[in-house]
Amino acid sequence: MRDLLGGKGANIAEMSRVLGAERVPAGFTITTEACVTVMEADGEWPAGLEAEVEKAITALEGSTARGLGDPADPLLVSVRSGARVSMPGMLDTVLNLGLNDGSVAGLAERAGNERFAWDSYRRFTQMFGNVVHGIAGERYEEAIAAAKAERGVKLDTELDAAALRELTERFKAIYSEETGEELPGDPRRQLRDAIAAVFSSWGNDRAVEYRRLNRIPDRWGTAVNVQQMVFGNKGEGSGSGVAFTRDEITGASKPSGDYLHDAQGEDVVSGVRNTLDLDEMARLAPQAHAQLLEILGELERHYRDMQDVEFTVEEGRLYLLQTRAAKRPAQAAVRFAVDAVEEGLLDRPGALATIEADKLDALLHPTFAADASYEVLARGVAASPGAAKGSIVFTAAEAVERGGESEDVILVRPFTEAEDVAGFAAARGILTSEGGKASHAALVARGMGRPCVVGASDLDIDVAKGEVSVDGKVLSAGELITIDGSTGAITVEDVPLVTPEISDAFQIVLAWADEIRRLKVRTNADNPEDAARARSFGAEGIGLCRTEHMFFGADRDGLVKEMFLAAEEWRRLHASADEDPGDAARARATTVEERFRTALASLEEMQRDDFAGIFRAMSGLPVTIRLLDPPLHEFLPVEHFEAELKALGGRGGRPEELDAARHDLTLARELREANPMLGTRGVRLAVLYPPIYEMQVRAIIEAAAIVARDGGEPPIVEIMLPLIAYETELDEVRELVEGAVAEAQSEIGHDGPYSIGTMLELPRACLVADRIAEHADFFSFGTNDLTQTAIGLSRDDVEGKFIGAYIERGILDRSPFETIDEPGVGELVKLGVEGGRSTNPEIKLGVCGEHGGDPASIEFFDRIGLDYVSCSPYRVPIARVAAAQAVPHD
Amino acid sequence: MRDLLGGKGANIAEMSRVLGAERVPAGFTITTEACVTVMEADGEWPAGLEAEVEKAITALEGSTARGLGDPADPLLVSVRSGARVSMPGMLDTVLNLGLNDGSVAGLAERAGNERFAWDSYRRFTQMFGNVVHGIAGERYEEAIAAAKAERGVKLDTELDAAALRELTERFKAIYSEETGEELPGDPRRQLRDAIAAVFSSWGNDRAVEYRRLNRIPDRWGTAVNVQQMVFGNKGEGSGSGVAFTRDEITGASKPSGDYLHDAQGEDVVSGVRNTLDLDEMARLAPQAHAQLLEILGELERHYRDMQDVEFTVEEGRLYLLQTRAAKRPAQAAVRFAVDAVEEGLLDRPGALATIEADKLDALLHPTFAADASYEVLARGVAASPGAAKGSIVFTAAEAVERGGESEDVILVRPFTEAEDVAGFAAARGILTSEGGKASHAALVARGMGRPCVVGASDLDIDVAKGEVSVDGKVLSAGELITIDGSTGAITVEDVPLVTPEISDAFQIVLAWADEIRRLKVRTNADNPEDAARARSFGAEGIGLCRTEHMFFGADRDGLVKEMFLAAEEWRRLHASADEDPGDAARARATTVEERFRTALASLEEMQRDDFAGIFRAMSGLPVTIRLLDPPLHEFLPVEHFEAELKALGGRGGRPEELDAARHDLTLARELREANPMLGTRGVRLAVLYPPIYEMQVRAIIEAAAIVARDGGEPPIVEIMLPLIAYETELDEVRELVEGAVAEAQSEIGHDGPYSIGTMLELPRACLVADRIAEHADFFSFGTNDLTQTAIGLSRDDVEGKFIGAYIERGILDRSPFETIDEPGVGELVKLGVEGGRSTNPEIKLGVCGEHGGDPASIEFFDRIGLDYVSCSPYRVPIARVAAAQAVPHD
């Protein structure tokens, strides 16, 4: 009934059942459906709602034997929100409703406590004004301060009944001043207004923002719970508190909590007074404490999860106001899971289900020391978890020069590009002022496990000047900066960092996950270090090794440019090949051919070493190598060649040098594309420049042979062709690859098994997967690019810009780059799976987009029957747990 | 049986049935399947093929009572190719096979003509050497020339039997010199070699190229027809010819053809001798002529189509060698269709089916005069049909300045962009050195009906210098150039042009099409002129009015830039809106707001007039207006603002001017996108800048009111939202549009019906069409963009570059931008149709991509049940005919 009654409403009902009605204050719940209807009608109540509320309140009056507003023995109620999922502090609440100038006297008499009655009434007028009419809290605080000053006291509790009575009058006056009308004395009217206010609090800014951050749909609405008030502020025998069934930070199996004697619940939450812990409560209210501990155990056993409860002790009697699954940090979640199994509370799948897999990477990365206090300079988007500090550098080159082993540096840039990747490796962390969670900086940083904060738009970064300014403060290169990629915080203080180890409990949880899960988990890795790290985290192979990442790096840059220019010249030569060329043309052809082959030969050597390193790190496991998939323009940026030519002119280059530079610039210009994402990429490159793939294939085969000869267990080589749209493309390029493999194997006299598959990353490929599967040993769904093409979204261009606007306006629940868009992109993956298996039942199916590390997406991939997911190294443990959680269990 | 026997083989069989076996030389056919098997085995014959050929030739020997190579009475055969569809002159043929040193005597004796026998043997040795071993024709021609010189004669026919015998020996010597072996005398061996040569001729360069141009799959293969030779060169009673059942140029109902007395068929085709017409044949061979006319009638009645036949008269007896549907130009096709119905030969659907709809636009555009002769300077891709001539201009501005009514100009550019569109209108034709059939230039030119040649890569265009050079020749601005957009020809000669009118026959054919077709035909038009032209061609409304095209034009350019800059400032202001801004911020907000509103107001006025003009032209018909769908970067090119700033600096602008220019440049830079095709486009714009769509909606509603008030019948307004991916987007923006409509209608006090729909142009939209249809009154499939996203192809970037390479290598049969890619993009359209109708059975469904004017695609759109297609004005008649042809009939 949670959808209809909200979490709290359902909970109250359930608690009454478990603990007995006497432990839970009586009340009733107005459904979320009513809220949605009211919201859609712009606040208008549907016919019948008012009558139903009247019926329910009358029944409550009956069961409690008190009347709302009764001057003799008034029924007081709380009016609280209660959404399907908890949104702590986001929605509004009115307490002590039912008090007016008449009933306050009845309350005083029944409680035998005039001060309590006036304090309650004072609180009600304050909350009603604040919640129902949005009157600023300060107005009331000022009045309290004035009252205290007038009486020369310091604490609220020092105000006596008379003072509180005066204060209540003052609050009523504030109400009239602000709203132009009297505070309603009719409790029915109070109730109606309060319910309406709770409905409308669903739409307040902080609630909308909270939903956006927590991916809660706007259309859910909140329920409203009307419940008899119980009072923790009825003197010495009373109190209020919150309690966790276990330690909420560590997960240790000892209840913890906060208690305030003679106080209402909001005093505990607001932090106005210093709370006591449960041991202290035991001293003050031993009986209630004992009951509470018993009940905590009962609730945990019932809900089979760590609970977070609110309770009140009214004149010695314990009431439970709320219980819910306790939010907990990763270490507590893991500890609870392990203990719960040991205690027989849960079985392993059940215990795993209590863990939020997404949070687990906090257990792998350095973090700010828990007790560290520091001033936040600015905030950005938490893009890659972990904390890092170091001297500011503004360029990748500087990072390489100063960073690495020699010095801790943080790479600070407006945004990053492919050619900055070497700088990532040398830096401890990355900070950008632009971009979102799927920007280049975020993707690469997550892949490499580097802490990263992006989109810190308050930062004004002037790379040329070597300065970053924020709010008038200017930082120069070399100054210390500290970032927390788990929270987005940026500071200039030297915050102490702690590096957690994979705890025993975490190892146990991961072992269970491995027992249970059906999906294999591989990693995306482009170098031996990442591969080794991922393997230590449990990766069962590489699902995506992007060879273009190997083409970057200062030592290769010139060579790679040279190779692509030569390739293009080579292509043009062959396209226009004359049947009987003259001598000059023949000579030129020889030069072009030689230039291309020379560049390829040097790259082949480097690639071979790259692959050998990766193969060693993954020996015995499958390694999927994607052949080159560059957007050409990243390798041949026009700006670079313009600058080269200018520089050459500046230093008085010889005419033939200038000619050559001009020629290169022209080629780069001609190769520039309006939409590189949809241009000469992937396998299209192999059709235009076949020798490039041939070179890569040779390097792979040679590397496998080297590892085998060195006595290592060779990996299971899977060669992946990117950006296939047509089965005929795959057929053609597969032939090319097979030819190159056969040639290389016969040359070096070593052969090993290999398979050839394709990346499914275009909608067309998914639609004709049946045809493509006839030529493929495996499919790997490239859901990043598939998302871009299926939805027509260039991640770089739109993510920072309007995905945010879309989520804010409720058009999107979440970014399709974070969690797979099931009805759209997911449907394509499903069609691809069905099509592929229909013609090739043996085909191996995986996913290598970022979604491979997202728990919600992993659940989907398990459901549609993929064989494995592949994700960045630091997400491997998360994926292992998520894959286990995806397996249905009772 | 055509697929298996090939066109010719099936035809021979059919002809024998219709005309009687005595009219058709006896023979047998080797299937296309055999050819495919042999090709796949690299020339190896499958087991059994040789034995089957032996069996068939033995049977032929039996039925003709002659033996292959029999020295007494030899059977001679022809060995000819025959693919599924005719590929005239592309594949190889060997005639007179069966002759050798022995049988030539028998032939001489049986024919009583020694010269004929040696001439036949001479021809056989020549063809065998040429076809089977690729010996160059010149070697034989030189020998013939030498023989004639030796004997002092001028014509081949003057060589006597002895001379031909000597020549035959010489030819056999040439064979030995070239191949290193004797010309095989064994006729069985000759037959096997000839069959193998025909098989392999399927893979020769000219055949491959022909298939590419005519979209014939490589995998079809050719059949081989072995048929008894008949001789047109047996003296006075013999001859050969080709004939059409009607005039092949005009379609007039009088047979026409070419005849040569005492000659073999290849003499007619080769053009070596001047042929006679059929009237002349009637004088020379009256009986055969009479028989021929009778048979032509018989064949046309049987095949119910205009025929093209080959015949031979051997000693007075008429043989039919081949008949096939006659290729014919558009006017002949139309004339035949009309006459065939009048004659009762065909019903209307049958007559329509004989027309190649794609060719019909030749009937609408100016063409080179049929008898014009001129030297071709270069060739490009025929991108938009029709011929045009004028002075060269190199920029759109120049075209606007000098062109239009005042002077005929041709806009010559490396490529064109959106801002060149005004130049298209002012020019007679467009010529580019880059791009393919779906380049910007081609698309816009076709839309506007301007002749256009693109991708003329031999042209080196230097816009800055104002020169175009080709092959060393340099043309300057102002010089005359003539282009033929139907053939791709470019010349500097003043070729006379003729403008055809829509003939009565064409009108009749179009009227039948309208009777028969189910699909409605609309047009894509952005201005009143195009709309009126399309209506005169029979368009039944506008399926796509692109409002961004109205934003271009010299008079609007500055205003549009201003509007977008203001829009972005406005957005930023609102995104960061403070709850309580200071006075300065408030003042700034007012300025930004005012700037935006002022720009919008001016544009609104212009748009209103644009729409009013279009509405008048389409009064009473539906008009689908697509709200703005710009790639922002086209409106805010960074280069423009860089140039502005530089220019301002150069002329010493004031500091505040420079600041403003710098600010604009920064905005433009920040709005630049890496992949504009996947960026801030379509409805995304409305989410970021709602007032822009509101302005457009007001302009539409005002325009409709103006037309109605002027007494015109208003159009049926359909407002289309582009680039929808999510149903929630449509829901949100639909509300915005409805609000703006209601406001505008109440303001001006005039309301009219309108509907709101969306363009389906993203794969995701097609996959969730069921959800989207709940918010849409119509879908229009934007198959251009759908093709780009589904296949991951940016038309601008890849069409010229590798679509060609893909087709050449057989990976693609045709460009997916020309004819819809059925299994991929077509499947998405189908899913969109099914999804849309599942939740909204009343939804109106159309297509507005370029495919809407392509007959093959139209057939598909009819099959999947769309309601209408929309295409550029000049393709409307083609679409009407194609839509009728799409309707199945018996």
Side-chain angles (χ1 to χ4, degrees), chain A residues 729 732 764 806 809 821, chain B residues 729 732 764 806 809 821:
Chain A
E729 264 176 328
E732 168 113 359
R764 188 188 198 277
Y806 266 46
R809 305 183 63 157
D821 158 44
Chain B
E729 265 177 327
E732 167 113 1
R764 188 188 198 277
Y806 267 46
R809 304 184 63 159
D821 158 44

Side-chain angles (χ1 to χ4, degrees), chain A residues 106-139:
Chain A
L107 179 64
E109 201 180 311
R110 298 294 302 183
N113 186 335
E114 198 171 358
R115 186 188 178 284
F116 157 70
W118 282 105
D119 192 37
S120 300
Y121 193 19
R122 186 270 300 177
R123 287 169 189 266
F124 166 69
T125 53
Q126 181 173 357
M127 289 179 100
F128 190 86
N130 178 255
V131 167
V132 178
H133 287 281
I135 300 170
E138 299 94 60
R139 292 228 48 191

Side-chain angles (χ1 to χ4, degrees), chain A residues 674-678 680 684 687 726 728-729 732 762 764 790-792 794 797 801-802 806 809 811-812 821, chain B residues 674-678 680 684 687 726 728-729 732 764 790-792 794 797 801-802 806 809 811-812 821:
Chain A
N675 293 285
M677 179 66 60
L678 309 176
T680 309
R684 293 165 193 171
V687 175
Y726 296 92
T728 42
E729 264 176 328
E732 168 113 359
L762 293 173
R764 188 188 198 277
I791 314 185
S794 165
D797 295 323
K801 198 162 169 191
F802 68 75
Y806 266 46
R809 305 183 63 157
I811 297 175
L812 277 181
D821 158 44
Chain B
N675 293 285
M677 179 67 60
L678 308 176
T680 309
R684 294 166 192 172
V687 175
Y726 296 92
T728 42
E729 265 177 327
E732 167 113 1
R764 188 188 198 277
I791 313 186
S794 165
D797 294 323
K801 199 163 168 190
F802 68 73
Y806 267 46
R809 304 184 63 159
I811 297 175
L812 278 180
D821 158 44

Side-chain angles (χ1 to χ4, degrees), chain B residues 383 424 436-448 546 784 795-796 850 872:
Chain B
F424 280 59
K437 278 201 172 181
S439 62
H440 177 266
L443 286 179
V444 175
R446 280 206 292 283
M448 300 174 72
R546 301 179 195 85
N784 293 356
R795 203 167 47 194
D796 293 342
E850 287 268 303
S872 58

Side-chain angles (χ1 to χ4, degrees), chain B residues 763-844:
Chain B
R764 188 188 198 277
C766 295
L767 292 164
V768 300
D770 52 343
R771 303 176 182 205
I772 294 178
E774 291 179 341
H775 307 273
D777 304 319
F778 61 88
F779 283 169
S780 179
F781 290 92
T783 54
N784 293 356
D785 278 6
L786 193 57
T787 300
Q788 300 198 73
T789 46
I791 313 186
L793 285 183
S794 165
R795 203 167 47 194
D796 293 342
D797 294 323
V798 301
E799 193 166 55
K801 199 163 168 190
F802 68 73
I803 294 273
Y806 267 46
I807 292 175
E808 247 166 59
R809 304 184 63 159
I811 297 175
L812 278 180
D813 286 345
R814 62 188 77 178
S815 165
F817 295 112
E818 261 178 55
T819 294
I820 193 151
D821 158 44
E822 251 191 73
V825 180
E827 184 64 21
L828 285 170
V829 175
K830 220 168 130 234
L831 290 172
V833 167
E834 292 165 0
R837 291 230 169 91
S838 75
T839 55
N840 183 354
E842 297 304 305
I843 197 164
K844 213 190 306 182

Side-chain angles (χ1 to χ4, degrees), chain A residues 600-773:
Chain A
L600 284 174
S602 309
L603 281 169
E604 183 177 331
E605 217 169 297
M606 294 176 175
Q607 290 248 286
R608 190 187 56 211
D609 296 346
D610 294 334
F611 291 136
I614 291 171
F615 287 171
R616 280 191 196 102
M618 281 288 165
S619 79
L621 295 177
V623 175
T624 305
I625 296 168
R626 179 174 76 184
L627 299 186
L628 197 61
D629 178 20
L632 263 189
H633 73 293
E634 280 195 20
F635 288 103
L636 300 176
V638 169
E639 297 69 23
H640 166 88
F641 293 100
E642 282 172 350
E644 287 274 293
L645 179 60
K646 206 170 153 190
L648 194 63
R651 61 174 187 271
R654 281 171 296 122
E656 61 272 25
E657 285 178 333
L658 285 163
D659 273 352
R662 252 181 239 115
H663 180 71
D664 289 351
L665 174 58
T666 306
L667 274 186
R669 280 205 180 123
E670 288 175 1
L671 288 172
R672 182 151 59 174
E673 297 183 312
N675 293 285
M677 179 66 60
L678 309 176
T680 309
R681 289 179 51 201
V683 82
R684 293 165 193 171
L685 201 80
V687 175
L688 295 180
Y689 317 110
I692 300 179
Y693 273 23
E694 287 167 350
M695 175 276 282
Q696 290 198 294
V697 169
R698 269 196 312 278
I700 293 168
I701 297 302
E702 286 165 8
I706 288 171
V707 172
R709 280 188 189 151
D710 290 354
E713 190 183 357
I716 301 157
V717 174
E718 302 176 337
I719 296 173
M720 179 153 76
L721 302 172
L723 215 78
I724 291 285
Y726 296 92
E727 71 277 12
T728 42
E729 264 176 328
L730 181 54
D731 189 28
E732 168 113 359
V733 181
R734 183 178 182 119
E735 207 169 292
L736 175 94
V737 169
E738 285 173 338
V741 169
E743 202 183 302
Q745 289 190 334
S746 96
E747 242 172 59
I748 56 181
H750 176 90
D751 53 355
Y754 68 98
S755 60
I756 299 178
T758 174
M759 193 136 165
L760 253 63
E761 51 189 330
L762 293 173
R764 188 188 198 277
C766 295
L767 292 163
V768 300
D770 52 345
R771 303 177 182 206
I772 292 177

Side-chain angles (χ1 to χ4, degrees), chain A residues 674 797-798 801, chain B residues 631-633 671-676 678-681:
Chain A
D797 295 323
V798 302
K801 198 162 169 191
Chain B
L632 264 189
H633 73 293
L671 288 171
R672 182 150 59 172
E673 298 183 311
N675 293 285
L678 308 176
T680 309
R681 288 179 50 201

Side-chain angles (χ1 to χ4, degrees), chain A residues 92-396:
Chain A
D92 286 332
T93 292
V94 178
L95 301 177
N96 301 343
L97 189 141
L99 283 175
N100 56 23
D101 294 349
S103 62
V104 68
L107 179 64
E109 201 180 311
R110 298 294 302 183
N113 186 335
E114 198 171 358
R115 186 188 178 284
F116 157 70
W118 282 105
D119 192 37
S120 300
Y121 193 19
R122 186 270 300 177
R123 287 169 189 266
F124 166 69
T125 53
Q126 181 173 357
M127 289 179 100
F128 190 86
N130 178 255
V131 167
V132 178
H133 287 281
I135 300 170
E138 299 94 60
R139 292 228 48 191
Y140 297 105
E141 296 303 332
E142 284 162 15
I144 295 174
K148 287 192 285 191
E150 203 178 300
R151 278 166 180 76
V153 300
K154 288 207 158 153
L155 298 175
D156 292 9
T157 46
E158 294 173 295
L159 292 172
D160 62 11
L164 291 167
R165 179 179 204 147
E166 259 177 54
L167 203 52
T168 305
E169 289 310 315
R170 179 72 205 112
F171 283 8
K172 284 160 70 181
I174 289 173
Y175 186 93
S176 301
E177 286 162 25
E178 293 277 347
T179 67
E181 56 176 44
E182 296 275 297
L183 189 135
D186 171 13
R188 259 47 189 185
R189 161 81 194 281
Q190 291 173 358
L191 182 63
R192 197 206 128 99
D193 286 0
I195 292 170
V198 174
F199 282 159
S200 84
S201 71
W202 180 255
N204 73 30
D205 290 351
R206 61 170 195 247
V208 169
E209 176 66 12
Y210 184 89
R211 287 201 294 276
R212 192 177 75 68
L213 291 174
N214 291 276
R215 301 170 167 183
I216 300 167
D218 285 345
R219 62 175 183 282
W220 280 2
T222 179
V224 182
N225 299 291
V226 178
Q227 209 175 1
Q228 183 190 8
M229 285 294 300
V230 290
F231 294 96
N233 55 345
K234 274 193 180 171
E236 278 307 302
S238 302
S240 292
V242 298
F244 295 86
T245 55
R246 310 197 177 217
D247 188 283
E248 77 270 32
I249 303 296
T250 65
S253 61
K254 179 177 185 267
S256 73
D258 295 311
Y259 177 72
L260 272 181
H261 213 57
D262 191 13
Q264 282 194 306
E266 73 270 24
D267 299 326
V268 182
V269 178
S270 69
V272 180
R273 283 166 58 190
N274 284 331
T275 56
L276 310 174
D277 65 23
L278 293 192
D279 290 338
E280 291 165 310
M281 178 193 176
R283 279 191 291 104
L284 290 168
Q287 206 185 342
H289 179 259
Q291 285 174 357
L292 177 65
L293 290 198
E294 194 180 313
I295 282 171
L296 288 177
E298 235 171 295
L299 287 172
E300 207 184 69
R301 282 191 298 280
H302 176 72
Y303 288 105
R304 294 166 175 255
D305 198 2
M306 191 169 153
Q307 296 294 298
D308 163 3
V309 308
E310 289 177 23
F311 63 92
T312 286
V313 184
E314 190 183 60
E315 297 178 330
R317 181 166 166 196
L318 178 68
Y319 288 97
L320 270 291
L321 305 180
Q322 175 168 289
T323 186
R324 56 188 173 194
K327 289 201 180 294
R328 67 208 88 163
Q331 63 267 37
V334 165
R335 169 91 183 256
F336 169 74
V338 171
D339 288 353
V341 170
E342 263 177 33
E343 294 165 16
L345 185 66
L346 291 168
D347 60 6
R348 290 172 180 186
L352 277 174
T354 65
I355 297 174
E356 275 184 80
D358 230 348
K359 286 190 175 165
L360 291 175
D361 62 1
L363 300 182
L364 303 172
H365 294 285
T367 54
F368 284 8
D371 53 358
S373 79
Y374 53 91
E375 196 185 330
V376 171
L377 176 72
R379 287 194 177 275
V381 177
S384 176
K389 59 188 172 189
S391 320
I392 295 174
V393 296
F394 288 106
T395 64

